[in-house]
Amino acid sequence: MPYAAVLVSMNTSTQSVAQSTPATSTVAVIGATGKTGRRVAARLEARGIAVRRLSRTSATPFLWEDEGTWEAALEASSAAYVTFHPDLAVPGSADVVTGLAKRGRDLGVDRMVLLSGRGEPGAQEAEEALLAELPHSAIVRCAWFMQSFSEGLLRDAVLSGTICLPGPGSAVEPFLDADDIAAVAVAALTEPGHDGVVHELTGPDPISLDEAADAVDRVLGRPATTFAAWADRAAAQGSWDR
């Protein structure tokens, strides 16, 4: 599903930086088993670009909490797609991202594309830290993923009907397709014109959490419910403290 808008802004600290040559050699993908990481890796490989798929369990492991794994993971790579764990909004994340950027720069990595989230001050600190160390990098700042309902930790909760999201049922979010995120990330890694750019991505239409609950129930063939009903189910089963 095409994203409705890509809001592009140039980081003020990188406006005067000459655009660099996009990646054509090996690209390291940190978080290659995740919702966006595996899509980015597949798109890069489809373009004939060598990919080093990195995760905690990859042949060359990458662990955020173990800096000793970073060098082998990044060496001989010209660029990297970076998904941070557990979340960029966590205090101290900017310092960790700074450390990774410095290590990458020392190893010859010219650019990183960082997955980030909208409306998170802590995440924006991490974005600024990356661009300060590697000014040819780019940021992909995203709305919530549509795939949060069908992949990963929320999938079982969705199938059981107990999932709860933060906020009232009337809260709206422009849910975004992870395939669109991957398309923008790959462009930022392989095409000119993205140095120092923050791409803010949203889905085509903001929908309320009530509408999201209803859509999931319709797809699963369940009677239409509301977000509040989902919350009631979770509270009754002890899986959420209201």
Side-chain angles (χ1 to χ4, degrees), residues 64 84-99 122-123 125-126 129:
W64 280 106
F84 184 80
H85 181 81
D87 191 280
L88 284 177
V90 173
S93 298
D95 292 337
V96 179
V97 170
T98 296
E125 291 180 15

Side-chain angles (χ1 to χ4, degrees), residues 194-236:
H194 299 272
D195 293 9
V197 173
V198 177
H199 298 275
E200 186 160 336
L201 309 185
T202 70
D205 297 298
I207 65 171
S208 71
L209 299 186
D210 277 340
E211 290 171 323
D214 178 65
V216 170
D217 281 335
R218 283 190 282 107
V219 169
L220 294 176
R222 298 192 298 224
T225 66
T226 64
F227 172 75
W230 276 16
D232 289 341
R233 292 183 206 166

Side-chain angles (χ1 to χ4, degrees), residues 64-88:
W64 280 106
E65 67 273 21
D66 183 358
E67 294 186 23
T69 65
W70 295 2
E71 182 169 346
L74 293 175
E75 65 181 358
S77 298
S78 63
Y81 176 68
V82 180
T83 61
F84 184 80
H85 181 81
D87 191 280
L88 284 177

Side-chain angles (χ1 to χ4, degrees), residues 12-40:
T12 55
S13 65
T14 59
Q15 287 184 9
S16 61
V17 176
Q19 296 289 297
S20 66
T21 302
T24 55
S25 59
T26 299
V27 176
V29 176
I30 297 174
T33 60
K35 288 186 283 292
T36 63
R38 67 174 180 271
R39 289 172 166 87
V40 168

Side-chain angles (χ1 to χ4, degrees), residues 11 13-14 17 94-106 109-112 125-137:
N11 183 278
S13 65
T14 59
V17 176
D95 292 337
V96 179
V97 170
T98 296
L100 180 74
K102 288 180 176 179
R103 184 70 58 86
R105 184 187 59 208
D106 293 344
V109 175
D110 180 63
R111 68 174 60 203
M112 293 182 177
E125 291 180 15
E127 297 171 7
E128 293 167 3
L130 173 63
L131 294 176
E133 295 295 335
L134 286 175
H136 297 307
S137 297

